[in-house]
């Protein structure tokens, strides 16, 4: 089977088009940032795409957002309603699908009173989607896990994190989001251990890049806070960054590369970047909208003192002043993945927010 775009380019392939079925891909959570970029790239490559939203009332908005982000023809895109916390809709979502990209999951790093608000939809949702995929005979499922399932709870000993590492659930600084991603990925591997549906998991570091519509989600919040003045100075935190367009590309490579079956892939790009350098990149790369981007850093002792009463500062303590190291060798070598510079992810995130989000506030 092949994507539709690979057929119909000349008379020989036109002939094939009449005989070769189209590959259909289910992308869960079509309203999301990473899922949106996956959908755009899949449609561009000629796949037929089905996506889930919690309510079909969102379809019009998602179509508008995708069109604004460059979707030329939405004719090959369809929608099904399904929530990660319910069985309803998933059999329809996976019916006659060749591949599943399970991207949807609640994203909320930091403190949360009831951890199960994240853990249950993440873990039970992953099991629900993958079980449905397996029962429907889907060829391969790609699960969007996270660096949060790799590097949390470890000592600061200069270790270079790879796909061999797992978050230590009872280690220091492990928040509900890191638990949700780790438990969801572990449940996925357990469920699919002897399945004929192949599983691949993706482990992106902080994903930044062009926003989808006016919604700012995930790690892009950090850029938003620098632009809108919510972050007047930067703590000494180091963020490993990858561009959302490269994350989407990696998902498609993971879906189509035969050797990727049964593998995890760490999606990182170069060393973690200190927040003050992220701010400097925004100032250097943008010609407008940078008036509030911070120029000052917050000394560690000030962060520590503030952490005694402020939970936001408390969350910074485990990684204050420490840059985690990562290797992307496996994705480069096995998938042939080649991510763009992290500065590009930062600049394009900031530019898109200045244009679409801040101007609209
Ligand atoms: P996002 O924009 O917030 O997208 C999350 C998606 O999950 C949304 O479509 C959301 O739907 C859906 N969702 C949440 N709870 C759901 C539920 N109970 N039922 C059905 N759908 C639900 O975040 P994102 O950054 O694109 O994240 C996508 C995936 O990448 C997640 O698995 C996340 O853990 C992973 N990831 C993200 C980053 C990052 O830096 N952004 C890094 C590593 C891994 P609604 O629109 O209805 O809320």
């Amino acid at each position: 089977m092949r994507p539709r775009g690979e057929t119909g380019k000349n008379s020989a392939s036109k002939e094939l088009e009449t005989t070769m079925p189209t590959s259909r891909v289910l992308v869960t959570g079509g309203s999301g940032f990473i899922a949106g970029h996956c959908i755009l790239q899949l449609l561009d490559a000629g796949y037929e795409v089905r996506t889930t939203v919690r309510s079909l009332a969102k379809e019009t908005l998602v179509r508008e957002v995708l069109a604004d982000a460059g979707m030329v023809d939405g004719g090959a895109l369809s929608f099904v309603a399904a929530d990660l916390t319910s069985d309803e809709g998933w059999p329809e979502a996976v019916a006659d699908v060749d591949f599943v990209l399970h991207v949807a999951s609640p994203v909320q790093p930091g403190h949360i009173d009831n951890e199960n608000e994240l853990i249950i939809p993440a873990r039970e949702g992953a099991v629900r989607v993958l079980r449905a995929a397996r029962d429907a005979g889907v060829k391969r499922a790609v699960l969007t896990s996270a660096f949060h399932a790799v590097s949390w709870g470890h000592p600061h000993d200069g270790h270079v994190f790879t796909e061999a590492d797992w978050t230590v659930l009872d280690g220091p600084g492990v928040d509900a989001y890191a638990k949700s991603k780790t438990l969801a990925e572990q449940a996925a591997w357990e469920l699919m251990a002897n399945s004929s549906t192949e599983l691949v998991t993706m482990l992106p570091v902080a994903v930044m890049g062009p926003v989808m519509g006016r919604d700012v989600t995930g790690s892009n919040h950090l850029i938003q806070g620098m632009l809108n003045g919510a972050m007047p100075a930067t703590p000494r935190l180091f963020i490993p960054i990858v561009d959302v367009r490269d994350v989407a590309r990696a998902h498609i490579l993971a879906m189509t590369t035969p050797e990727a079956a049964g593998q995890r892939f760490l999606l990182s790009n170069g060393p973690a970047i200190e927040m003050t350098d992220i701010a400097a990149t925004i100032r250097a790369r943008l010609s407008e909208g940078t008036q509030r981007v911070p120029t000052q850093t917050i000394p560690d002792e000030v962060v520590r003192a503030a952490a005694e009463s402020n939970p936001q500062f408390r969350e910074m303590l485990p990684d204050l002043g420490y840059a985690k190291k990562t290797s992307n060798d496996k994705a480069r070598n096995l998938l042939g993945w080649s991510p763009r510079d992290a500065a590009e992810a930062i600049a394009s995130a900031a530019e898109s927010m200045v244009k679409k989000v801040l101007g609209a506030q």
Side-chain angles (χ1 to χ4, degrees):
M1 272 184 256
R2 58 186 59 211
R4 295 189 318 168
E6 285 181 19
T7 64
K9 282 180 182 154
N10 53 42
S11 56
S13 56
K14 268 203 179 107
E15 199 176 305
L16 268 176
E17 200 173 57
T18 56
T19 53
M20 297 287 285
T22 299
S23 278
R24 187 177 290 132
V25 185
L26 172 71
V27 179
T28 63
S31 55
F33 170 54
I34 295 174
H37 283 276
C38 289
I39 292 170
L40 287 179
Q41 290 191 19
L42 286 164
L43 290 172
D44 264 359
Y47 289 94
E48 198 175 311
V49 181
R50 187 181 292 154
T51 190
T52 60
V53 280
R54 294 198 232 196
S55 156
L56 286 180
K58 269 203 173 169
E59 175 175 345
T60 306
L61 176 65
V62 173
R63 282 191 185 278
E64 282 170 11
V65 164
L66 289 169
D68 179 59
M71 181 174 73
V72 182
D73 177 7
L77 175 65
S78 61
F79 288 73
V80 167
D83 192 302
L84 294 173
T85 58
S86 156
D87 288 336
E88 232 173 288
W90 292 110
E92 293 79 4
V94 296
D96 301 322
V97 151
D98 303 293
F99 304 104
V100 170
L101 304 187
H102 177 41
V103 188
S105 199
V107 181
Q108 196 184 334
H111 176 75
I112 173 167
D113 284 337
N114 179 3
E115 296 194 337
N116 281 333
E117 278 178 30
L118 297 187
I119 293 171
I120 288 176
R123 183 178 53 194
E124 292 183 8
V127 168
R128 191 165 268 128
V129 173
L130 294 175
R131 190 185 289 131
R134 181 196 65 189
D135 293 350
V138 167
K139 180 173 166 32
R140 182 176 290 183
V142 179
L143 170 78
T144 318
S145 185
F147 191 48
H148 279 79
V150 173
S151 70
W152 263 245
H154 289 268
H156 292 178
D157 59 3
H159 176 68
V160 179
F161 286 99
T162 70
E163 294 80 0
D165 296 301
W166 281 94
T167 282
V168 180
L169 285 172
D170 57 359
V174 179
D175 61 11
Y177 177 65
K179 286 181 194 166
S180 78
K181 296 306 291 180
T182 308
L183 292 168
E185 194 193 337
Q186 288 173 346
W189 283 116
E190 203 175 311
L191 177 77
M192 304 303 272
N194 297 311
S195 168
S196 58
T197 298
E198 298 164 341
L199 179 65
V200 189
T201 64
M202 312 309 282
L203 311 160
V205 294
V207 183
M208 296 181 184
V211 289
M212 279 283 161
R214 288 183 187 162
D215 274 351
V216 178
T217 58
S219 310
N220 265 346
H221 276 306
L222 195 149
I223 307 281
Q224 185 184 32
M226 290 186 177
L227 289 168
N228 68 13
M231 190 191 296
T234 52
R236 272 194 344 110
L237 289 175
F238 293 76
I239 316 293
I241 295 169
V242 64
D243 192 290
V244 67
R245 293 160 290 187
D246 296 323
V247 172
R249 173 85 190 122
H251 278 67
I252 297 172
L253 289 168
M255 183 180 100
T256 52
T257 306
E259 302 76 24
Q263 302 292 330
R264 306 173 90 201
F265 290 98
L266 182 46
L267 304 179
S268 67
N269 186 18
I273 302 177
E274 190 174 348
M275 280 173 76
T276 184
D277 293 327
I278 297 176
T281 299
I282 299 174
R283 282 196 304 276
R285 296 280 295 259
L286 266 66
S287 55
E288 56 169 346
T290 60
Q291 305 84 332
R292 294 166 142 184
V293 176
T295 53
Q296 307 285 317
T297 52
I298 314 174
D300 291 355
E301 54 275 20
V302 174
V303 173
R304 286 198 193 93
E308 285 175 23
S309 56
N310 183 327
Q312 248 184 317
F313 281 93
R314 207 170 303 136
E315 283 156 17
M316 296 174 188
L317 294 182
D319 287 332
L320 194 62
Y322 185 67
K324 287 179 182 170
K325 294 180 185 148
T326 57
S327 165
N328 62 14
D329 286 354
K330 186 171 169 185
R332 281 184 183 277
N333 295 335
L334 212 145
L335 298 179
W337 183 67
S338 168
R340 71 203 78 196
D341 201 276
E344 186 54 38
I346 296 166
S348 63
E351 272 162 11
S352 68
M353 280 179 222
V354 168
K355 195 168 146 217
K356 295 185 185 174
V357 184
L358 300 177
Q361 279 173 352

